[in-house]
Amino acid sequence: DAKTTQPPSMDCAEGRAANLPCNHSTISGNEYVYWYRQIHSQGPQYIIHGLKNNETNEMASLIITEDRKSSTLILPHATLRDTAVYYCIVRVAGYSTLTFGKGTMLLVSP
Amino acid sequence: EAGVTQSPTHLIKTRGQQATLRCSPISGHTSVYWYQQALGLGLQFLLWYDEGEERNRGNFPPRFSGRQFPNYSSELNVNALELEDSALYLCASSDFRQTSVDEQFFGPGTRLTVL
């Protein structure tokens, strides 16, 4: 799996959008970008994934640059419950395991 | 729908002993993954079982082993426990053949403490 680079921490005010960046400059053509998050002492939770098009679901939006070398996870209206470590992972869907980096610790404050 | 379950929640052992951790996947999922989350080291992949077979293994010594049963539940065994084996052990399941998402669903984990 290709490696990713994320900022170690970010702050966000409650109700504002949280934009979490991820660099994956060595991503291969068949690798997807996955985002997971881990709330303290719980198992990680899948958020969203994409190949090259922007994606949106009930939790978040994923913006992938045209060259696919970076992406941004957007939580449109962050709440205190979104405080967690967010992991950006690139992988071939279905045929490889998840390689977690250090992720970004997002702190949402009132 | 029941999620991934793991037992026990907490496990305390002494150096040299053996630990057995158990995982029940979501109904219909054939793949089970094991991860270790030690303090300061992040989440590291241990083992992947699918349809009863070991499909992939992380960079861990042979004393970490496991198996998957016909009902797709799984056991992780850690022999000759060392202090640095103290960690949260997470199990995840997926059914990558049936979905394009290939999402892994994680259990709550087993906290292993080695004294």
Side-chain angles (χ1 to χ4, degrees):
Chain A
D1 291 344
K3 290 187 177 180
T4 62
T5 303
Q6 299 178 252
S9 63
M10 294 184 65
D11 294 325
C12 180
E14 189 178 20
R16 304 296 295 268
N19 298 293
L20 290 87
C22 179
N23 287 319
H24 32 78
S25 58
T26 60
I27 191 170
S28 300
N30 63 345
E31 287 182 315
Y32 288 72
V33 180
Y34 281 75
W35 283 83
Y36 279 74
R37 74 179 182 183
Q38 186 175 24
I39 297 171
H40 182 62
S41 296
Q42 298 181 20
Q45 175 190 25
Y46 165 84
I47 301 172
I48 198 167
H49 81 294
L51 184 62
K52 52 186 174 181
N53 298 321
N54 297 338
E55 303 288 344
T56 296
N57 63 20
E58 64 279 2
M59 289 183 68
S61 294
L62 175 60
I63 307 298
I64 302 174
T65 58
E66 193 169 344
D67 62 9
R68 303 209 324 126
K69 292 185 177 182
S70 66
S71 61
T72 301
L73 178 75
I74 301 172
L75 307 178
H77 305 288
T79 70
L80 299 180
R81 287 191 296 270
D82 291 322
T83 292
V85 178
Y86 287 77
Y87 298 98
C88 169
I89 300 164
V90 293
R91 62 188 284 254
V92 176
Y95 296 96
S96 64
T97 53
L98 297 172
T99 301
F100 289 85
K102 295 187 184 300
T104 296
M105 174 65 216
L106 175 68
L107 177 63
V108 181
S109 303
Chain B
E1 177 184 288
V4 176
T5 60
Q6 293 185 244
S7 63
T9 304
H10 294 89
L11 188 59
I12 299 175
K13 295 285 186 178
T14 56
R15 281 174 54 188
Q17 285 188 315
Q18 178 195 34
T20 298
L21 289 65
R22 296 178 177 83
C23 171
S24 292
I26 289 172
S27 177
H29 286 188
T30 60
S31 277
V32 170
Y33 309 80
W34 288 95
Y35 294 85
Q36 182 197 64
Q37 188 168 33
L39 197 61
L41 291 180
L43 273 154
Q44 298 185 76
F45 165 69
L46 260 168
L47 290 160
W48 171 22
Y49 291 95
D50 180 68
E51 298 278 3
E53 300 286 331
E54 182 180 302
R55 301 296 184 184
N56 200 1
R57 181 182 184 85
N59 189 26
F60 282 83
R63 56 191 187 83
F64 286 84
S65 64
R67 55 179 172 167
Q68 186 177 34
F69 300 98
N71 67 353
Y72 303 118
S73 66
S74 176
E75 269 184 5
L76 173 68
N77 295 295
V78 188
N79 294 320
L81 284 166
E82 300 178 1
L83 295 178
E84 52 264 34
D85 296 333
S86 294
L88 179 67
Y89 289 83
L90 291 159
C91 171
S93 73
S94 77
D95 186 14
F96 67 87
R97 293 183 183 82
Q98 300 299 326
T99 174
S100 62
V101 177
D102 189 28
E103 171 185 358
Q104 290 187 19
F105 294 82
F106 284 80
T110 292
R111 174 74 62 182
L112 173 63
T113 301
V114 182
L115 303 175

